[in-house]
Amino acid sequence: MPSPIRKAVIPVAGLGTRFLPATKAMPKEMLTVVDRPLIQYVVDEARAVGIEHFVMVTGRNKGVLEDHFDIAYELEATLAARGKTAALEELKRDKAPAGAMSFTRQQEPLGLGHAVWCAADIVGDEPFAVILPDMIPRGEPGCLAQMIAHYNEHGGNSVSVEACDPSETASYGIVGLGDPVGDSYRMTTMVEKPAPADAPSNLYITGRYILQPEIFPLLAEGRRGAGGEIQITDAMLRLMETQPFYAFPFKGRTFDCGSKLGFLAANVAFALEREELADDFAAEARALLKAAGKD
Ligand code: UTP
């Protein structure tokens, strides 16, 4: 059995420019799908599969993320005094256990690879997960749970993948597939945001990674890639020369909540899963579509 995945790195230092002006003073990760912030969805997904420690790589304007996982004395006391026990219990459940979260700063948004490197000292010499908080998977078991089940059998490094429309490859990291291994495939290549004509497939990385610590010295070299950023894909390609790398097709659907369309679709999908909302929301949505002549 390979070493367990105990830690997850969550990079949250990006600027969220696609969501301006909403993200001018508020972190993108606090945007809500129904009534829960994106960051809560990903922490829940990871806690459900036994992740014990979260390393958030933050930047300016991200302090509210720390507050979100902290005790809110006044609020909790008020809820208790008013007998709102269900809301109180939910707040307590959502909080991080003491000592389970570390926060480190990426002073400049130099790229995802650089953000992950900022977590190197806290992760140390063990395999770990990387979770992009704007990619929200829907499926049971969760995306990280499916990947860790595969990892426990096969070890190595892996990324979750899903098919995108072939015209959309330039928005994502795209992989090439080799032989099947269990529920996954050996990965043969990875290209950051290729034009459709240069894409090795239409399978995009959906924001979940399991990586061995040998990635850190490669990231430390700070080589710039696509867009002048320190890309995680470049370091992964080099790690692939010496270690097994798998592309794991997620059995479910991921919503790219960093894009407006993905974010809106996630709200619809998750609202329709809420028993207390589903019927009324569906009726409202149908009426709106009809009124707009789009039904
Ligand atoms: P994105 O590519 O979505 O960038 O980063 P972004 O800044 O969040 O959003 P846009 O494109 O400007 O709208 C993917 C993830 O990597 C983090 C982001 O916070 C996001 O979770 N990231 C990206 C960093 O932490 N640091 C970086 O330098 C770049």
Side-chain angles (χ1 to χ4, degrees):
M1 180 111 160
S3 306
I5 308 292
R6 300 185 312 122
K7 297 181 181 172
V9 175
I10 309 187
V12 292
L15 299 177
T17 54
R18 284 169 294 165
F19 256 102
L20 285 169
T23 47
K24 186 177 171 196
M26 181 190 77
K28 174 169 79 172
E29 299 75 20
M30 289 304 289
L31 290 171
T32 53
V33 169
V34 189
D35 53 5
R36 296 170 77 69
L38 298 178
I39 194 74
Q40 187 75 55
Y41 281 89
V42 298
V43 165
D44 290 351
E45 176 192 347
R47 279 174 75 181
V49 69
I51 296 291
E52 296 164 10
H53 196 99
F54 294 88
V55 187
M56 302 240 185
V57 183
T58 72
R60 267 175 296 282
N61 281 338
K62 304 281 179 166
V64 68
L65 292 167
E66 286 190 50
D67 295 341
H68 178 74
F69 289 101
D70 203 352
I71 290 179
Y73 284 110
E74 268 180 44
L75 178 62
E76 292 179 23
T78 308
L79 290 174
R82 293 184 185 167
K84 301 202 171 209
T85 39
L88 186 58
E89 284 314 308
E90 196 173 337
L91 281 190
K92 286 187 177 163
R93 247 196 334 271
D94 291 347
K95 215 167 44 207
M101 253 177 212
S102 302
F103 296 85
T104 185
R105 277 239 179 174
Q106 183 193 28
Q107 288 99 335
E108 286 176 89
L110 297 179
L112 179 57
H114 181 258
V116 172
W117 173 80
C118 289
D121 274 355
I122 305 174
V123 171
D125 191 23
E126 58 179 284
F128 62 104
V130 175
I131 310 177
L132 301 194
D134 50 0
M135 302 298 278
I136 304 293
R138 190 174 57 135
E140 224 14 90
C143 185
L144 204 56
Q146 294 181 21
M147 288 175 78
I148 287 181
H150 175 274
Y151 167 83
N152 287 341
E153 220 175 306
H154 302 281
N157 302 266
S158 53
V159 297
S160 58
V161 297
E162 227 172 294
C164 68
D165 189 292
S167 66
E168 291 176 347
T169 56
S171 301
Y172 300 107
I174 303 290
V175 304
L177 297 188
D179 292 336
V181 179
D183 285 349
S184 78
Y185 295 85
R186 274 276 186 167
M187 197 157 69
T188 55
T189 188
M190 241 175 303
V191 191
E192 194 55 46
K193 302 186 167 72
D198 305 325
S201 75
N202 68 335
L203 291 170
Y204 76 101
I205 301 175
T206 68
R208 302 292 179 273
Y209 310 71
I210 289 175
L211 296 170
Q212 298 295 324
E214 287 76 20
I215 194 84
F216 288 128
L218 300 173
L219 289 171
E221 292 177 20
R223 295 192 194 178
R224 305 277 177 150
E229 294 193 345
I230 300 169
Q231 300 283 0
I232 188 95
T233 33
D234 294 338
M236 290 196 298
L237 273 173
R238 291 177 60 208
L239 188 57
M240 218 166 81
E241 291 167 13
T242 55
Q243 293 193 7
F245 243 103
Y246 305 104
F248 181 88
F250 168 50
K251 296 174 206 71
R253 164 156 185 210
T254 299
F255 294 91
D256 176 3
C257 292
S259 81
K260 292 184 184 74
L261 192 60
F263 173 74
L264 293 168
N267 268 287
V268 173
F270 282 85
L272 289 172
E273 276 187 354
R274 289 285 191 88
E275 210 178 308
E276 77 282 11
L277 274 177
D279 290 345
D280 290 345
F281 178 67
E284 189 74 48
R286 271 193 293 269
L288 286 169
L289 285 169
K290 192 157 192 249
K294 307 243 183 237
D295 57 336

